[in-house]
Amino acid sequence: METADGGFLLAGSSNSPPSGDKSAPLKGQLNFPYPDYWLVKVTATGQKIWDKSFGGNSLDQLEALIPTANGNFLLAGTSDSGVSGDKTAFSRGRDDYWAVMVNGNGDKLWDKVYGGSGSDYLKDAIATNDGGFVLAGSSESGAIAEKSDPLRGVRDYWLIKIDGAGNKQWDKTLGGSDIDQLSSVVKTKDDGYVAFGKSRSPVSGEKTQPTTTGTTTDNYWIVKLK
């Protein structure tokens, strides 16, 4: 991602110890080296300026990097870590959504966890017009903690809206009686959202059309939210 100074911010996950271009220690070493979120700031010509890692004692997988209007960046992904390292909130179930806000120098400002009683896997995040964010992925959780709706089937689409400080504003569960797996979310001109992914569910829950290839293969599933 290009930054205001003409450089770039590279973002992903790393299970490397300090070596080569990685200067930060690995946080995820509960049983064996698990990945952390990893940021690298480079100049316009690719010269490294700094790198930062963010993680707890288990798996932390970065999926999205979102710039904010005030020069900060939201890192969003999936975390299986307990309170440790940079993770300040307890796991809700197993895997949870994990958001980390950093400033333009890569310094952590805050982190927040969102999840239910099972596994919740974040796949995408977008900024909203009010300075907040929508975090989107798939959930195997029932209604508990940040998850307000019951599980529809095996796995559902799950979207959660947060404000610029990471406070939850609303969440939506969308799914049928089988497996529904979200891949991405986009904003629409009418201030709504469209969620994209795949579904193996029959007509049930929020799923209004049958699968075209039976119950053992996936179809594309697109859902429009106001």
Side-chain angles (χ1 to χ4, degrees):
M1 173 179 293
E2 189 170 5
T3 52
D5 60 2
F8 299 92
L9 194 58
L10 314 179
S13 301
S14 173
N15 63 356
S16 296
S19 56
D21 299 296
K22 184 128 186 287
S23 66
L26 184 63
K27 314 292 175 61
Q29 300 189 64
L30 184 62
N31 296 311
F32 56 89
Y34 287 103
D36 299 323
Y37 294 3
W38 189 36
L39 290 180
V40 183
K41 178 68 166 63
V42 300
T43 66
T45 57
Q47 302 301 308
K48 176 187 163 184
I49 300 173
W50 52 255
D51 73 297
K52 300 287 178 78
S53 290
F54 304 93
N57 59 7
S58 192
L59 185 148
D60 302 296
Q61 188 78 32
L62 182 66
E63 298 289 350
L65 172 68
I66 309 295
T68 69
N70 59 2
N72 297 330
F73 296 90
L74 184 80
L75 315 179
T78 301
S79 175
D80 190 30
S81 294
V83 175
S84 54
D86 304 291
K87 188 119 179 280
T88 63
F90 288 99
S91 296
R92 307 301 192 238
R94 186 177 177 183
D95 302 281
D96 300 311
Y97 293 4
W98 188 37
V100 181
M101 184 69 77
V102 302
N103 63 22
N105 294 317
D107 302 315
K108 176 186 159 184
L109 301 176
W110 53 258
D111 74 292
K112 302 276 186 173
V113 171
Y114 314 93
S117 57
S119 290
D120 306 298
Y121 307 99
L122 186 142
K123 286 298 180 184
D124 200 9
I126 55 173
T128 55
N129 294 335
D130 59 1
F133 306 90
V134 168
L135 312 180
S138 301
S139 175
E140 298 173 358
S141 293
I144 193 171
E146 288 77 32
K147 185 116 188 304
S148 62
D149 293 325
L151 187 64
R152 308 294 195 245
V154 178
R155 183 180 295 176
D156 303 319
Y157 290 9
W158 187 43
L159 297 91
I160 179 167
K161 171 69 166 63
I162 61 174
D163 64 20
N167 301 305
K168 175 190 166 182
Q169 297 181 305
W170 54 256
D171 73 298
K172 300 287 184 182
T173 297
L174 306 161
S177 59
D178 206 320
I179 298 172
D180 306 297
Q181 194 155 297
L182 184 145
S183 298
S184 63
V185 62
V186 298
K187 285 189 302 184
T188 57
K189 291 182 178 180
D190 61 357
D191 291 328
Y193 307 95
V194 175
F196 301 86
K198 57 187 180 181
S199 174
R200 196 173 293 188
S201 292
V203 174
S204 51
E206 285 74 34
K207 187 95 182 295
T208 61
Q209 292 183 304
T211 57
T212 59
T213 51
T215 59
T216 59
T217 55
D218 299 308
N219 290 171
Y220 293 149
W221 189 36
I222 301 172
V223 183
K224 172 69 165 63
L225 292 84
K226 294 183 179 179

